[in-house]
Amino acid sequence: MTQTTESSARGMRRRTAPDAQHRPRFHRAWIVAAVTFVTIIGGAAFNSLPGLLIDPLHTEFDWSRGEIGLAVSIDMALYGLTAPFAAALMDRFGIRRVVVVALSAVAAGALASVWMTAAWQLMIYWGLLVGLGSGSMAMAFSATVTNRWFVARRGLVTGILTAAGASGQLVFLPLCAWIIDAHGWRPASVTVALAALVVVPFVWLLMRDHPADVGLAPYGGTYVEKPAPARGAASRTVRILLDAARTGPFWLLAGTFAICGASTNGLIRTHFVPSAHDHGMPITAAASLLAVIGIFDIIGTIFSGWLTDRFDARRLLAVYYALRGISLLFLPMLMAPTVHPPMVFFIVFYGLDWVATVPPTLALCREQYGEDSAIVFGWVLASHQVGAALVAFLGGVARDAFGSYDMVWYASGALCATAALMALVIRRVREPADAVVR
């Protein structure tokens, strides 16, 4: 009887697997990727605000730019430090639950800031709540979705999902700048809260944690059973960090990505608008330039994902960082009261390079660390945000001390040159048998 039962069970598994491996014309993975894209847009709406609100908050509350920059730096640091734990929590509790809670935290922080009257409240609402919420939807979220749902086209999908943040910037920067100019900063903060809440139903109804939940194989791969929930999320995350920290490539990836964060989120996203305003450019015009960065960011990131599927990721990173550093050295000479062609060229050039670094960095994490790559990438992302946090804070301090941002631009350009050299010395690893289908 027992042998008969076991034979029946094996037969059932043999009959189930081919059905589960059936690939429909339109794979469910693309729906999950689309929901992830929209989620990142909604969650990233808050990232449009800090650079726009430095001057209004300084004027209304007489807070120094250093104080405001400290709140932004707390947000960015927690964004990064939360990401690896969020990846492990998604393994334990599922993607849907973690993302819904994260969106709610972003909405709560943005909405609560409407009633703040002291700088410490800014640090709680912007720094703590929004930092924890947005960090749970950071690039480690994209990495988790990509690793689970895709085998083929991982580089391309990574580029598309990374571009979602830029798409949010493209949508919300001009909108929030117009709202602030016409109605003040509080309605803009409410708009961001509503954007986060609107996405929640899409996540709950359309997102699925694993292809096996709907009886499918990953796109371009073979069917695998859904793994049991991974317990001990925090200890696993720390253990993976300790293991990765014993390897040289981890520190090189973390160092280059810290410079990436310093030269994008910490520098341009936080300080470009107030710097341009120092030179007489209206806030709405400067915000529109950042939105244009978002347009070309989408193009550059998707193209970078395509390139990552075909070329050495280390060399791609070296080129990206070198070009970024050169462009930053010229920026102080381009600042003017009006928008002129050389500034537009900088914006287009910088936009193409903005987060083009993400697909090759994630590919190198996957190459070096295999199935733990999403959590390792979360820790690498933490370094990205720590770098961003330091420059968000130090950039404000430098502006208070020297009266301009020039030294910050030059120092960031030199850092990018260092990152280019670091990328070239990351060692290669032979690709595993189940490497990405190209």
Side-chain angles (χ1 to χ4, degrees):
M1 177 68 72
T2 302
Q3 291 179 341
T4 302
T5 303
E6 290 178 353
S7 299
S8 300
R10 284 194 297 269
M12 179 66 70
R13 282 197 293 271
R14 284 195 296 269
R15 288 193 297 273
T16 301
D19 292 339
Q21 292 181 54
H22 173 68
R23 298 174 185 175
R25 279 187 175 181
F26 186 79
H27 199 285
R28 180 65 178 264
W30 295 108
I31 297 177
V32 173
V35 174
T36 304
F37 187 91
V38 173
T39 301
I40 295 172
I41 289 177
F46 178 83
N47 292 331
S48 303
L49 277 183
L52 301 177
L53 297 190
I54 288 178
D55 285 335
L57 293 178
H58 174 70
T59 300
E60 179 172 338
F61 297 109
D62 198 31
W63 298 336
S64 72
R65 290 176 176 83
E67 287 179 302
I68 300 169
L70 178 59
V72 177
S73 71
I74 293 172
D75 163 63
M76 291 181 175
L78 284 177
Y79 177 99
L81 294 172
T82 302
F85 292 96
L89 287 172
M90 287 176 188
D91 288 342
R92 173 67 179 88
F93 297 106
I95 297 173
R96 285 198 301 174
R97 293 177 182 176
V98 172
V99 172
V100 166
V101 172
L103 287 166
S104 302
V106 171
L111 191 60
S113 66
V114 170
W115 293 282
M116 65 185 176
T117 57
W120 67 266
Q121 294 171 324
L122 178 71
M123 294 171 194
I124 294 295
Y125 302 148
W126 279 21
L128 184 62
L129 284 176
V130 175
L132 291 174
S134 58
S136 298
M137 296 176 294
M139 296 173 196
F141 169 38
S142 302
T144 301
V145 170
T146 305
N147 288 350
R148 290 186 185 182
W149 281 90
F150 291 87
V151 174
R153 305 294 179 262
R154 277 179 175 170
L156 177 63
V157 175
T158 299
I160 293 172
L161 295 183
T162 303
S167 301
Q169 175 176 300
L170 173 63
V171 171
F172 288 100
L173 258 173
L175 176 62
C176 290
W178 175 81
I179 292 173
I180 291 168
D181 189 54
H183 305 288
W185 65 270
R186 288 178 175 84
S189 193
V190 172
T191 300
V192 167
L194 294 176
L197 290 176
V198 164
V199 181
V200 170
F202 291 94
V203 174
W204 192 253
L205 295 175
L206 299 176
M207 177 65 72
R208 292 296 180 270
D209 293 329
H210 195 278
D213 288 340
V214 287
L216 291 175
Y219 180 81
T222 56
Y223 181 82
V224 292
E225 293 290 343
K226 182 178 180 179
R231 300 185 181 276
S235 60
R236 177 174 175 241
T237 302
V238 174
R239 176 181 54 78
I240 290 174
L241 169 64
L242 294 176
D243 291 342
R246 297 188 182 99
T247 65
F250 173 80
W251 293 105
L252 291 169
L253 288 167
T256 55
F257 223 40
I259 294 171
C260 178
S263 56
T264 52
N265 292 353
L267 184 66
I268 298 293
R269 179 170 285 168
T270 304
H271 295 296
F272 178 81
V273 171
S275 178
H277 190 57
D278 285 346
H279 289 80
M281 185 180 291
I283 290 178
T284 50
S288 297
L289 288 176
L290 276 186
V292 173
I293 283 181
I295 296 173
F296 289 93
D297 183 3
I298 296 170
I299 298 170
T301 307
I302 294 175
F303 184 54
S304 176
W306 183 86
L307 290 174
T308 301
D309 284 335
R310 289 159 175 79
F311 299 102
D312 185 348
R314 302 173 306 152
R315 295 180 181 178
L316 289 176
L317 284 180
V319 172
Y320 296 158
Y321 285 121
L323 293 176
R324 183 182 300 181
I326 292 170
S327 66
L328 285 173
L329 295 178
F330 284 97
L331 183 56
M333 295 178 279
L334 304 179
M335 290 293 184
T338 58
V339 179
H340 51 92
M343 175 60 82
V344 173
F345 179 80
F346 168 84
I347 292 296
V348 172
F349 189 86
Y350 211 82
L352 291 171
D353 192 60
W354 182 272
V355 285
T357 55
V358 173
T361 300
L362 181 52
L364 288 170
C365 284
R366 191 179 294 120
E367 176 186 305
Q368 297 281 342
Y369 304 106
E371 63 182 16
D372 291 332
S373 61
I375 294 177
V376 173
F377 181 72
W379 284 113
V380 171
L381 176 62
S383 71
H384 180 282
Q385 293 306 113
V386 170
L390 286 173
V391 172
F393 172 60
L394 294 176
V397 171
R399 171 60 179 81
D400 290 334
F402 301 113
S404 82
Y405 286 100
D406 288 359
M407 291 301 297
V408 182
W409 306 128
Y410 295 137
S412 297
L415 284 174
C416 288
T418 303
L421 296 175
M422 293 169 65
L424 288 175
V425 299
I426 298 173
R427 64 178 171 84
R428 295 295 304 273
V429 173
R430 183 186 298 274
E431 292 193 53
D434 62 343
V436 177
V437 177
R438 298 174 189 266

